[in-house]
Structure formats: C-alpha cells, structure tokens
Amino acid sequence: MAKVELKGISKVYDGNVRAVDNANITVEDKEFVVFVGPSGCGKSTTLRMVAGLEDITEGELLIDGDLMNDVPPKDRNIAMVFQNYALYPHMSVYENMAFGLRIKKVDKAEIDRRVHEAARILDIEKLLDRKPKALSGGQRQRVAVGRAIVRNPKVFLFDEPLSNLDAKLRVQMRAELSDLHMRLNATMIYVTHDQVEAMTMASKIVVMKDGKVQQIGSPLYLYNHPINKFVAGFIGSPPMNFLTVKVVEKNGEVMLDEGGFELKPAAEHAKYLKSYVGQEVYFGIRPEDLLYAETPAAENNMPLKVTVVEPLGADIHLWLSTKTQPLVARTEPHHTFKIGDAANFTPKMDKARYFDRNTELSLLAELDAAAR
C-alpha cells in the first residue's frame, strides 16, 4: 500500500475562487482517513486532486514519495469508488469487475482469480451473472467496491459512496467498509459530509471548511479537544450547545454569567478564563454532559424550559431554552417531560469548552496540546 502526502495543495478556479487553500495532509500507510465537512468545503475537490481528476494549482502531491502532480490518473495506481456507482448497465457484475483488468491486458486466468476473490470478500459471488438493474443499491455499491479491489491499488478513494443508500443500509455498509479496511490492510481516503460516518469509520479525520483544513486528528481527540467552535459544533450528534456568557470575578473566583444563572468553571479551566474577565465568550457543552436534576442543584444549576421533546427509544433529546438561548440535552427515557415544563439541568463543568467570541478559537489550546 502507500503513504499519501499533500503539501500546500491548493485548487484555484477562474475568478480566483480558492476551492482548496493550502492543504497539508499526511495519510500514513494503511490508514483509514476521512475528509469531512459541509457541502462546498473542498473535500471532494481534494480527493479528486489525489485521483488526478482535478489539476493541482499549487503544492505537491506525493504517493510513496513519488511526485504525482503531472502523472495521469491511470498511472497513479489508485482506485476510486463514486457516489453513483458508475456501473456499465449492459455488463454483468463479473464483466463490470473485470473490465479495467481487461483494458490493462491482464491474463484471463488472473482476472478470473481476482474477480472471484473480491466477490468472495464482498459476499456477492451469487450475483456475478446479474446485470446492475437486477441489484439493490447496497449490492451495486459492493460491485463498485469490488471493481476497485480487483485492481490491487496502492490507495482506495471513496467519494460519498453511501449517500444514495437508505439509513439502515448505510449503517450496515459502514460496518462492512470498516471490516474491509481491516481485512485488506489498505490505505483508504473517504469523503463524506456525515460526521457520524467519519466518527465511526476513521482512524483519522480531516475537518474542512471553506476550502481550509480546520483540524486533523483521531475521532475521539477531535470530539474531546476541538480546536475551534466550528469543529466543536460539527463533530458530535446532536451537536455541541453554545451559550454566550460573560466572564466575571466574584470573591476572587472566576464565574460565568449567562444572565439567567451563573456557572463556576472547573478549576483546570478557570486560569484560562481569567484574562477574559469583563468579556463575553462562548461556553460549549455537549448534550450528554447536561444532567437533569429533579431539584435545583446548589451550584451550577441551569433553570431551563422544555420547548421540544424527541423520544428516540434508548434516550430522549430535549430541546430547551434559557431566557434567550436555545440548547439540547440527551436524557434517559424514564424521565417524562412535556412542552412548557420547567426543568433544572447541571452541566459537567470539566467537560465544558470555551471559545473566543472574535476568533472562535479554543481557549483551552494549552490543555488540548498536553492531551495529545
């Protein structure tokens, strides 16, 4: 397999539109790296530059140390799986999987061996004689993956391959692709806008916004130590809550004033907030870190009002509001709530995050660096 390095990669279209701006990304050999971000963030453009389907405006692309900027796609030894499967409708599954090898004039016996081996791995051996129109969406996606496997590429590229599948099948295919990565021991780069896919599949995530790489790290590191407010709000479902609070000092202690209640930050966070006394910051807390209290807590009590109740079986998502700001909590199903109820919640202050109101950068960067 292969190591993929993007060094200062940019893509600039006519009118000086920078779709990708100075991306520095290293995909180690055998890693499963997921590019994630909202539509238009540049993740698919980045993948297409790795594939050779888009020219690189600036920077260098290396695969196994070899410069690939001007190497045609067919000579990069990569295989790409697209969102729309891109199968030939007039060919059988076997012919679809064998087509690329025949073009390369691979020996017929070797083609047959590779196709049947890939079909066995993907559990589609019984489908080899069928045409694509006789397959379900999940089966078509397996054929598209099989067509990539038979090429024995250095790098597998996936461009939102599950977005056309229904919710249940997406969950199944996520697990299958993760298992496939382990079995093939392959280098894989995967693009999605779905952060749940990123969290469940990746060994490393690249978060992008407006053509720029925001943060790179393991799923749990990004979840627990987001570098800025965008990453904090994008990673996690439901997303992190953000409240605008004022940092104040009372009796020599740093406190957070929301207007309707006060919160005392964790001791390890207080020193990073001290320089913000008199200023507003963003206070971030994840839904699972808001704890319901049947009676008001003596400290850090948040009196809230229930605005929406979403029962999901295993838990309940409660949409709440302060006097001025909305937020959501994840609670256990045995609690009963009605719209309009008053409810008291206590945040786990050691799990809180803080962000500058102007730059939106984390105020806990020093702590985060120590956690790496």
Side-chain angles (χ1 to χ4, degrees), residues 310-317 330-337:
E310 293 183 337
L312 298 174
D315 53 21
I316 298 172
H317 292 174
R330 177 182 286 153
T331 65
E332 296 180 355
H334 63 266
H335 296 309
T336 57
F337 298 95

Side-chain angles (χ1 to χ4, degrees), residues 32 34 81-85 122 137-145 157-180 189-194 196-198 200-202:
F32 194 137
V34 177
V81 178
F82 296 92
Q83 176 180 345
N84 62 358
Y85 319 133
L122 296 165
Q139 290 169 337
R140 291 178 193 179
Q141 194 55 275
R142 286 190 184 91
V143 175
V145 173
L157 306 179
F158 296 88
D159 190 6
E160 305 214 35
L162 308 184
S163 59
N164 288 338
L165 304 180
D166 63 57
K168 182 179 179 180
L169 193 52
R170 284 178 72 126
V171 173
Q172 179 185 335
M173 287 299 296
R174 283 205 311 256
E176 290 186 10
L177 287 176
S178 295
D179 180 61
L180 180 66
I189 305 176
Y190 186 104
V191 160
T192 181
H193 64 276
D194 185 340
V196 175
E197 280 184 19
T200 55
M201 298 173 70

Side-chain angles (χ1 to χ4, degrees), residues 59-75:
E60 295 181 337
L61 169 68
L62 289 84
I63 299 179
D64 262 354
D66 296 327
L67 186 65
M68 291 285 150
N69 288 46
D70 299 318
V71 175
K74 64 182 179 65
D75 297 326

Side-chain angles (χ1 to χ4, degrees), residues 273-327:
L273 293 165
K274 198 168 183 65
S275 62
Y276 282 83
V277 169
Q279 301 178 51
E280 289 184 336
V281 300
Y282 290 116
F283 166 77
I285 193 75
R286 295 203 179 276
E288 58 269 29
D289 295 327
L290 272 178
L291 305 181
Y292 171 64
E294 292 189 13
T295 57
E299 187 176 72
N300 296 329
N301 185 65
M302 299 172 64
L304 304 171
K305 182 179 178 180
V306 178
T307 58
V308 177
V309 179
E310 293 183 337
L312 298 174
D315 53 21
I316 298 172
H317 292 174
L318 279 184
W319 292 87
L320 306 157
S321 67
T322 69
K323 290 180 179 179
T324 57
Q325 303 181 76
L327 65 168

Side-chain angles (χ1 to χ4, degrees), residues 245-249 253-256 263-283 349 352-356 362-364:
V245 297
K246 188 173 183 178
V247 184
V248 298
E249 192 166 14
E253 291 188 320
V254 172
M255 300 291 289
L256 307 170
L263 301 173
K264 182 180 179 180
E268 64 267 29
H269 297 163
K271 67 177 182 177
Y272 299 101
L273 293 165
K274 198 168 183 65
S275 62
Y276 282 83
V277 169
Q279 301 178 51
E280 289 184 336
V281 300
Y282 290 116
F283 166 77
M349 296 304 289
R353 309 297 303 175
Y354 302 93
F355 304 93
D356 187 284
S362 172
L363 305 187
L364 306 180

